[in-house]
Amino acid sequence: MNPIVEVKSLYHTYPSGIEAISGIDITINAQEFVAIIGQNGSGKTTFAKHLNGLLKPTAGKVFIKGMDTAKKRVSELARHVGYVFQNPDHQICCDTVETEVAFGPRNLHLEKEDIERRVQGALQAVDLLEYRTVNPKQLSKGQRQRVAFASILAMEPSVLIIDEPTTGQDYRDGIAMLDLVKRLNQEGHTVLFITHDMQLVAKYAKRVVVFQD
Ligand SMILES: Nc1ncnc2c1ncn2[C@@H]1O[C@H](COP(=O)(O)OP(=O)(O)OP(=O)(O)O)[C@@H](O)[C@H]1O
Ligand SMILES: [Mg+2]
């Protein structure tokens, strides 16, 4: 057992006063493939945002590879935890596919060759190499989701969080995406995927975590 995500007595109350998470304890080990399910508004996305530090606990602790997320910046955590948003348009900002995917690695101040290697690898993984110079705005929503996914992969994080993999895609795209995620899992990535689709849960997840209220 090699715990990569450790959550201890996690609480989160939004400034509006809504208590979205009330006491979660969970440990996820390296290379697990976990599905997170639960009704709308049960706190799945709020939970996921704690793993990459976008949100900090109101109370309790979140550790990623032993690092306390409250003491780390989002940019540091992004090397370890990649989060594909529910809506890809919340994370796409550049005007070509390749600059979008290179954006994160550039911020790591890597060598040019290393950036290029990562962009190539990530675009190849999501089958978008031929769209390198296209503006993401001209792509379909499913393709934009793959661009968003490639930009996360380019950071080479060990934990991947996919929030609603089927959003904006037909079932076949969802399957293709999860086949890719499955391969990445077999290569050593730890995967958390948040979904309402029980067929995908049955087909891919090794462990299921249910959120309530
Ligand atoms: N930015 C925010 N400000 C205030 N309240 C929020 C915010 N984001 C979420 N909430 C509230 O926190 C609770 C949990 O929301 P969250 O988005 O985490 O649920 P979810 O399980 O991801 O839902 P869904 O299945 O619809 O994606 C809900 O009551 C929601 O209204
Ligand atoms: Mg959500």
Side-chain angles (χ1 to χ4, degrees):
M1 292 298 186
N2 176 12
I4 193 159
V5 174
E6 292 169 278
V7 176
K8 301 189 171 159
S9 259
L10 175 65
Y11 287 77
H12 192 85
T13 303
Y14 281 106
S16 62
I18 290 176
E19 188 178 75
I21 291 181
S22 340
I24 291 181
D25 288 277
I26 187 169
T27 300
I28 294 169
N29 290 303
Q31 294 196 38
E32 278 201 83
F33 198 126
V34 182
I36 297 180
I37 61 171
Q39 70 218 64
N40 294 115
S42 56
K44 304 181 296 296
T45 297
T46 303
F47 171 74
K49 286 179 176 172
H50 280 82
L51 304 186
N52 70 347
L54 272 184
L55 290 174
K56 307 291 184 186
T58 312
K61 292 273 183 202
V62 176
F63 299 96
I64 302 294
K65 295 181 180 167
M67 296 178 289
D68 183 345
T69 60
K71 295 180 182 143
K72 295 281 171 189
R73 282 190 298 199
V74 177
S75 56
E76 286 175 83
L77 289 164
R79 292 164 178 257
H80 307 284
V81 181
Y83 180 28
V84 181
F85 285 78
Q86 210 157 14
N87 182 346
D89 300 327
H90 289 165
Q91 79 188 76
I92 291 176
C93 56
C94 300
D95 53 14
T96 68
V97 168
E98 61 186 0
T99 45
E100 182 66 40
V101 177
F103 185 84
R106 269 195 194 127
N107 279 345
L108 297 179
H109 305 295
L110 302 170
E111 299 287 325
K112 224 176 161 186
E113 295 74 34
D114 197 20
I115 294 174
E116 175 52 26
R117 181 187 59 75
R118 287 179 180 224
V119 169
Q120 280 259 356
L123 285 177
Q124 190 158 16
V126 300
D127 200 20
L128 283 179
L129 260 183
E130 64 198 289
Y131 294 93
R132 279 189 78 125
T133 56
V134 173
N135 190 320
K137 284 194 187 112
Q138 288 165 341
L139 300 177
S140 71
K141 187 158 184 189
Q143 288 171 321
R144 288 202 303 281
Q145 190 118 33
R146 275 148 59 199
V147 173
F149 198 82
S151 65
I152 298 301
L153 285 182
M155 298 296 282
E156 302 185 344
S158 35
V159 181
L160 285 171
I161 304 172
I162 299 101
D163 205 342
E164 293 281 15
T166 52
T167 307
Q169 302 181 50
D170 63 26
Y171 186 71
R172 237 184 48 225
D173 281 343
I175 291 283
M177 176 72 85
L178 277 168
D179 281 338
L180 162 64
V181 170
K182 183 179 171 186
R183 202 185 76 220
L184 294 166
N185 177 245
Q186 284 162 347
E187 288 167 5
H189 288 83
T190 307
V191 173
L192 279 85
F193 83 108
I194 301 173
T195 186
H196 293 275
D197 187 327
M198 298 313 283
Q199 265 180 287
L200 292 180
V201 172
K203 188 164 156 62
Y204 292 96
K206 300 273 168 54
R207 177 181 177 194
V208 182
V209 175
V210 184
F211 278 53
Q212 198 183 356
D213 298 333

